[in-house]
Amino acid sequence: MKEKLEQILKLAQKELSEIKTIQDVEQVRIKYLGKKGELTVVLRGMGELSSEERPLIGKMTNDVREAIGAMLENAAQLVKEQEKVTRFSKETIDVTMPGVKFDIGNKHPLTVVLDEVKDIFLGMGFKIAEGPEVDTVYYNFDALNAPKNHPSRDLSDTFYINEDILLRTQTSPVQVRTMQASKPPIKIISPGRCFRYDTPDASHSPMFHQIEGLVVDKGITMADLKGTLDIFAKQLFGFGTKTKFRPHHFPFTEPSAEVDVSCFKCQGAGCQLCKGSGWIEILGAGMVHPHVLKECNIDPEIYSGFAFGMGLDRITILKYGIDDIRLFFENDMRFIKQF
Ligand code: PHE
């Protein structure tokens, strides 16, 4: 029996020296130490031993069990180490391999132009202000000096939620909100979505974007308005751009003007884009009406200001020669990826 135990120990040792995986270690454990394993067989034979031999063989069996246990432990450790080394060597990064290309998106054309416009005005010291898209009749019309019979107030022009609440038709309510919430000097632009009851076609969308501008301080004149918008137009469309101010009417500005820029495609010679006129209308502007200043608790005897508003969609369409405003809102990647 003694020889048998010695043999078991040797065999286990030999087998463990050849194993490769953690499963192999387990196999060896079952084979020698398991319920039906080699050592159990030896123990079963103990009954046949004399009472002198039994404790000796018993002890020896235990020693062998412990020795095999320790060897199994070692072998498992070794295999684990080995597996780690192999895994690490597989994971080494070859820095000369070509990288994985990530499909990163790009900015929507409206965002591209909005960012440009923002940059220009931030560079001139303007801050960005925001206002709600769902606003009140008071902010959208009354406080902006729009008479009760103004056509834009009609049910067929504006989305009303109830008698007092509507989807803003312009970003101009932000002028009022800003003036009521702060004291001059004020110098803001306010980009945002606006809504009008328009049937969608190539040049109309019931949802569109405006960028409002407002400056209020002591001694602000029409010259400041003209200078600011002229510099803006030159930065956005190129330094050769000229501006033209045509008299117009807005309820909340007096005097009011529509502003044209010389056509940036034909430099004013006349082409399809400017319909042969050499000029393209890009915004509305004017000196803030004294009624509006008063409504906002700003004394028109002390302060004056100018405001302007432009359609972001229109400017983007002109800049990129896009022929249908609906393309902006269809989320077709084939369109959006071109910018
Ligand atoms: N809110 C005007 C519009 O929607 C544009 C505008 C803004 C005109 C500010 C003058 C001053 O047409």
Side-chain angles (χ1 to χ4, degrees):
M1 243 180 193
K2 207 172 150 220
E3 293 79 52
K4 176 77 182 149
L5 283 169
E6 272 163 5
Q7 197 191 0
I8 288 174
L9 187 61
K10 267 207 191 108
L11 272 173
Q13 205 162 21
K14 181 164 176 287
E15 276 183 41
L16 280 174
S17 70
E18 285 161 8
I19 51 116
K20 294 207 164 56
T21 68
I22 203 84
Q23 286 88 334
D24 295 343
V25 179
E26 183 58 11
Q27 295 276 304
V28 176
R29 194 189 64 76
I30 292 167
K31 182 167 172 194
Y32 291 95
L33 306 184
K35 264 192 212 140
K36 291 177 191 152
E38 303 267 351
L39 276 185
T40 320
V41 174
V42 173
L43 282 175
R44 267 200 209 114
M46 294 268 279
E48 289 150 30
L49 297 173
S50 68
S51 50
E52 293 88 54
E53 268 179 320
R54 216 174 289 150
L56 286 174
I57 298 296
K59 183 177 180 304
M60 198 175 163
T61 313
N62 270 340
D63 289 350
V64 170
R65 180 190 299 281
E66 264 173 39
I68 295 180
M71 273 155 46
L72 283 166
E73 188 103 344
N74 267 341
Q77 206 63 38
L78 254 153
V79 168
K80 274 190 203 152
E81 274 306 315
Q82 201 51 49
E83 279 177 357
K84 211 164 48 183
V85 170
T86 333
R87 202 174 64 234
F88 281 177
S89 72
K90 276 198 201 129
E91 279 175 4
T92 34
I93 296 164
D94 178 355
V95 289
T96 64
M97 290 260 285
V100 183
K101 222 175 161 191
F102 286 105
D103 204 7
I104 53 166
N106 62 304
K107 283 187 193 169
H108 190 282
L110 289 173
T111 312
V112 174
V113 176
L114 175 60
D115 285 350
E116 259 180 75
V117 172
K118 275 186 190 166
D119 271 355
I120 296 171
F121 283 108
L122 289 174
M124 289 196 262
F126 283 71
K127 293 210 166 72
I128 309 232
E130 281 186 332
E133 290 168 6
V134 181
D135 213 333
T136 60
V137 170
Y138 169 76
Y139 282 113
N140 196 81
F141 293 126
D142 293 330
L144 285 162
N145 201 35
K148 288 266 185 275
N149 61 354
H150 196 275
S152 67
R153 298 182 71 139
D154 201 274
L155 282 172
S156 64
D157 270 346
T158 298
F159 293 110
Y160 285 91
I161 286 169
N162 61 33
E163 263 181 31
D164 303 316
I165 301 173
L166 42 67
L167 300 186
R168 67 176 178 192
T169 62
Q170 50 188 352
T171 41
S172 305
V174 185
Q175 286 182 34
V176 178
R177 289 178 173 277
T178 307
M179 285 190 277
Q180 288 183 352
S182 50
K183 295 252 159 300
I186 292 168
K187 208 171 171 187
I188 54 132
I189 58 161
S190 168
R193 255 192 295 254
C194 303
F195 307 85
R196 285 182 200 175
Y197 213 125
D198 277 328
T199 307
D201 63 24
S203 53
H204 293 87
S205 162
M207 191 273 290
F208 59 100
H209 302 79
Q210 282 193 344
I211 303 166
E212 190 87 4
L214 173 72
V215 173
V216 182
D217 203 351
K218 286 179 185 158
I220 298 290
T221 70
M222 193 89 183
D224 298 306
L225 168 63
K226 290 186 81 171
T228 305
L229 292 180
D230 193 68
I231 286 289
F232 162 69
K234 285 182 165 56
Q235 293 205 40
L236 189 66
F237 296 114
F239 272 87
T241 307
K242 293 193 194 95
T243 47
K244 183 166 78 174
F245 290 67
R246 281 182 288 104
H248 196 72
H249 171 78
F250 296 106
F252 39 90
T253 47
E254 182 59 33
S256 304
E258 272 189 332
V259 181
D260 299 343
V261 292
S262 53
C263 179
F264 39 84
K265 201 167 175 194
C266 65
Q267 265 69 42
C271 69
Q272 240 185 349
L273 186 67
C274 58
K275 299 193 182 79
S277 74
W279 295 94
I280 294 176
E281 183 214 317
I282 60 153
L283 49 83
M287 301 306 292
V288 182
H289 199 295
H291 287 177
V292 177
L293 291 174
K294 266 192 211 145
E295 181 65 33
C296 300
N297 303 316
I298 293 175
D299 187 346
E301 298 297 326
I302 302 174
Y303 293 102
S304 54
F306 67 79
F308 56 88
M310 65 188 104
L312 175 63
D313 315 77
R314 183 172 154 73
I315 290 176
T316 309
I317 282 173
L318 290 169
K319 255 197 103 141
Y320 289 119
I322 294 162
D323 54 14
D324 197 322
I325 190 173
R326 289 169 293 193
L327 288 166
F328 288 143
F329 312 121
E330 281 171 356
N331 285 340
D332 187 334
M333 290 306 285
R334 288 170 302 179
F335 169 73
I336 295 172
K337 281 205 159 173
Q338 294 176 40
F339 302 92

